[in-house]
Amino acid sequence: MTGPTRRQTLAMAGSAGLLAAPALSAGRAHVVVVGGGFGGTAAARTLKEIAPDTDVTLVVDADRFSTCPFSNLVLADEIPLSRITFGFDAVAAAGVSVRVGVAAEIDAARKVVVLQDGNEIGFDRAIVSPGIDLNFGAIPGYDAGAAQRMPHAWKAGVQTELLRDQIGAMPPGGTFVMSVPNNPYRCPPGPYERASLVAHRLSRINPTAKIIIVDGKDSFSKQSLFMEGWDRLYPGMITHVPFAENGGVKDVDAATLTVEAAFETFRGDVVNVIPPQTAAGVALRSGLAGDGDWCQIDQATFESETAPGVHVLGDAAIVGDMPKSGFSASVQGAVCAHVVASWLKGAEPVSDAVLLNTCYSLLSPDYGISVAGVYRVNAEGRLKSVRDAGGNSPMAADDGVRQAEAGFALSWYDTLTRQLFG
Amino acid sequence: MFKNLILLGFLFMGAAAAAQSTTAEVTYLSCAVCHGDGQGDDAIPAIQGRPHDMLLASLSSFAAEGGTATIMHRFITALTPAEMDDLARHISGLEGVAQ
């Protein structure tokens, strides 16, 4: 195995960012996990649990992580950001070395993760789950500066609070404009949950306000269920303008809060621009996405098609038919940990298991809907949706069903985040 | 010496058990996302350590009812009876508050 170099060991020992440092021992395998979200944290904790004799380092770019799931409840002013923000103390206590630092590059040839500060961490295998980056530049006029005026709030944190406060300060009868990208992007139903929960808030504090969704596609996840709920809960408040009717967003202007689409100009009092996305920069810089925007992997083992020894999962990767969701990423992280543990021990990984995903969406705090998927690796090595399984919540269900699903959503969130961060 | 050999034997057994992930164990990783920490004070019940018969009966009833009432009804159609049985056996062997 490749142990850490003397320079790395010294750098790690001297790093204030290191939360816990079990000594890296000669002769033990070292797996470095990049990304402290759902995928990376699940991978690191699962691997340490099933292979305690493996040294596991989790590289996180900040000492706190705010989840995108449930961040729309923050926008709705139902919960504070602190409710969806977690630290890594429990991860460290579980025996994982948590390293706070920005991963600049994964060098598969040299088997090192290069940090922005120049330090390097050697690995036998790496698991990379760095999430997405917003593709500033995809929409003319939308850059990091414009995002201060027209927040994306598609990475939870300060952007979420910024948009929450803008919604609260919107003039009576004002317009909330949301620009939504074409697929693929993080959390397919997320924009429509956001429109719902913003409507929930506005219906109380600003009941004559309007919400306009300028969509980069013609149809969306759970569309019938969302529209049924909007008619029921917020009649007349939300207008969805599909791609065929707007012709696509051409540019935005932060000074005038305008979204210019091919067929129509939308001016808002609050504008939420959710731009197109790519795999996080560290994955692109490391060549893990080839010439594309997303990382291509072996869908049975998550191993990169371009970088042997490096596994990629979560939102940054194309993981067969699985959507880019926190649920999917956490399942993929745990399954990938089993693959890596098997290979480190010279065993064949399980390849005939079932993987699941559920995306819950809240239309109000007590009105939930879901889409579920079941995935298996087929004979060609593709992780495909199992036919005749999965699917959406029923249409025209009574309040009890919707309330129960809202309860399941909360239960899912708390159970998963307790396991990852608690 | 004999004691050491016995100890060595146990160690090997432990290593062998740890090395081989089973299909049911890996499938359960998806179940664990919602049912995982067994606190059981949420809307989604804790299942770890429940008797095999009870778990299998639950899974079978989801399959028999069909439909979309909960996500379990939508998941279960993907599993064969043998997979349900293996999964129930794995979950029944886990430690948890449901025991």
Side-chain angles (χ1 to χ4, degrees):
Chain A
M1 68 157 271
T2 316
T5 64
R6 182 175 146 77
R7 180 186 161 211
Q8 291 155 21
T9 308
L10 288 173
M12 291 175 74
S15 167
L18 198 61
L19 292 179
L24 300 180
S25 320
R28 286 159 64 109
H30 186 208
V31 175
V32 176
V33 182
V34 175
F38 288 94
T41 308
R45 286 196 79 157
T46 304
L47 184 58
K48 193 66 197 175
E49 184 186 332
I50 63 174
D53 54 346
T54 299
D55 289 323
V56 181
T57 299
L58 178 65
V59 179
V60 297
D61 56 12
D63 62 1
R64 313 285 287 169
F65 169 66
S66 297
T67 67
C68 280
F70 277 51
S71 66
N72 288 326
L73 278 178
V74 177
L75 293 182
D77 209 21
E78 293 286 325
I79 57 173
L81 186 66
S82 59
R83 174 74 170 81
I84 59 165
T85 300
F86 302 90
F88 295 95
D89 290 349
V91 181
V96 173
S97 295
V98 178
R99 179 76 179 268
V100 181
V102 177
E105 194 191 344
I106 289 98
D107 186 335
R110 291 200 300 128
K111 293 206 161 188
V112 293
V113 174
V114 183
L115 301 185
Q116 215 167 49
D117 62 12
N119 286 309
E120 297 184 344
I121 311 172
F123 60 77
D124 295 294
R125 285 196 172 271
I127 301 174
V128 180
S129 184
I132 56 148
D133 268 349
L134 303 163
N135 189 359
F136 289 116
I139 301 176
Y142 198 66
D143 55 19
Q148 295 304 307
R149 192 79 182 85
M150 302 189 294
H152 53 79
W154 217 241
K155 289 186 177 186
V158 288
Q159 276 274 309
T160 313
E161 295 188 305
L162 182 62
L163 186 57
R164 176 197 64 195
D165 295 346
Q166 289 185 0
I167 295 165
M170 205 164 85
T175 302
F176 178 93
V177 172
M178 174 191 281
S179 170
V180 179
N182 196 3
N183 297 317
Y185 60 94
R186 162 178 284 176
C187 190
Y192 313 98
E193 178 189 75
R194 173 171 294 181
S196 309
L197 290 175
V198 170
H200 171 73
R201 182 177 178 198
L202 289 175
S203 64
R204 290 157 183 224
I205 64 168
N206 194 345
T208 56
K210 299 287 183 212
I211 296 171
I212 300 175
I213 304 169
V214 184
D215 211 329
K217 54 196 174 302
D218 285 328
S219 60
F220 57 87
S221 173
K222 296 180 271 192
Q223 183 162 358
S224 302
L225 286 162
F226 273 112
M227 291 193 156
E228 179 189 61
W230 293 344
D231 281 345
R232 171 102 188 281
L233 301 171
Y234 318 112
M237 185 177 260
I238 301 173
T239 303
H240 178 253
V241 186
F243 177 83
E245 289 175 25
N246 67 59
V249 171
K250 296 302 166 198
D251 60 72
V252 299
D253 183 2
T256 57
L257 291 176
T258 301
V259 174
E260 185 81 40
F263 304 154
E264 194 176 346
T265 301
F266 301 90
R267 212 202 75 74
D269 297 286
V270 175
V271 179
N272 171 210
V273 176
I274 304 169
Q277 295 146 35
T278 66
V282 61
L284 301 184
R285 280 193 300 277
S286 307
L288 299 177
D291 297 329
D293 289 336
W294 307 100
C295 302
Q296 302 275 354
I297 57 170
D298 178 321
Q299 293 171 11
T301 64
F302 306 93
E303 190 169 35
S304 167
E305 288 189 352
T306 60
V310 176
H311 303 253
V312 191
L313 53 87
D315 291 353
I318 299 168
V319 190
D321 290 346
M322 294 187 85
K324 298 187 185 304
S325 73
F327 193 124
S328 286
S330 57
V331 168
Q332 292 160 15
V335 173
C336 184
H338 276 259
V339 170
V340 168
S342 295
W343 277 353
L344 288 175
K345 287 168 178 159
E348 269 303 298
V350 167
S351 60
D352 58 349
V354 159
L355 280 70
L356 306 177
N357 174 68
T358 303
C359 291
Y360 289 106
S361 299
L362 296 176
L363 278 71
S364 81
D366 55 8
Y367 189 114
I369 59 174
S370 63
V371 55
V374 186
Y375 309 88
R376 279 185 199 269
V377 178
N378 70 8
E380 289 76 46
R382 315 299 292 180
L383 190 59
K384 300 294 287 180
S385 291
V386 175
R387 224 184 301 171
D388 303 324
N392 291 344
S393 307
M395 289 286 288
D398 64 29
D399 285 350
V401 172
R402 304 300 186 219
Q403 197 165 2
E405 285 222 276
F408 294 148
L410 179 64
S411 182
W412 159 72
Y413 182 81
D414 283 340
T415 302
L416 179 56
T417 53
R418 273 197 307 258
Q419 291 178 86
L420 295 180
F421 303 108
Chain B
M1 175 68 188
F2 186 62
K3 267 188 185 171
N4 283 348
L5 276 178
I6 290 175
L7 186 62
L8 203 61
F10 277 122
L11 284 175
F12 274 124
M13 283 165 64
Q20 292 297 336
S21 307
T22 66
T23 300
E25 183 183 7
V26 176
T27 293
Y28 174 74
L29 297 171
S30 290
C31 312
V33 168
C34 296
H35 294 280
D37 68 353
Q39 291 208 0
D41 52 354
D42 296 312
I44 300 173
I47 52 175
Q48 298 90 328
R50 282 190 198 269
H52 169 261
D53 291 355
M54 186 192 291
L55 289 164
L56 189 57
S58 293
L59 292 173
S60 303
S61 73
F62 286 127
E65 288 167 26
T68 58
T70 71
I71 56 167
M72 287 307 301
H73 295 86
R74 293 173 244 160
F75 285 150
I76 205 66
T77 50
L79 295 185
T80 65
E83 285 175 323
M84 276 192 249
D85 189 50
D86 286 347
L87 188 59
R89 198 171 307 284
H90 173 74
I91 297 168
S92 69
L94 297 171
E95 283 180 29
V97 292
Q99 263 169 333

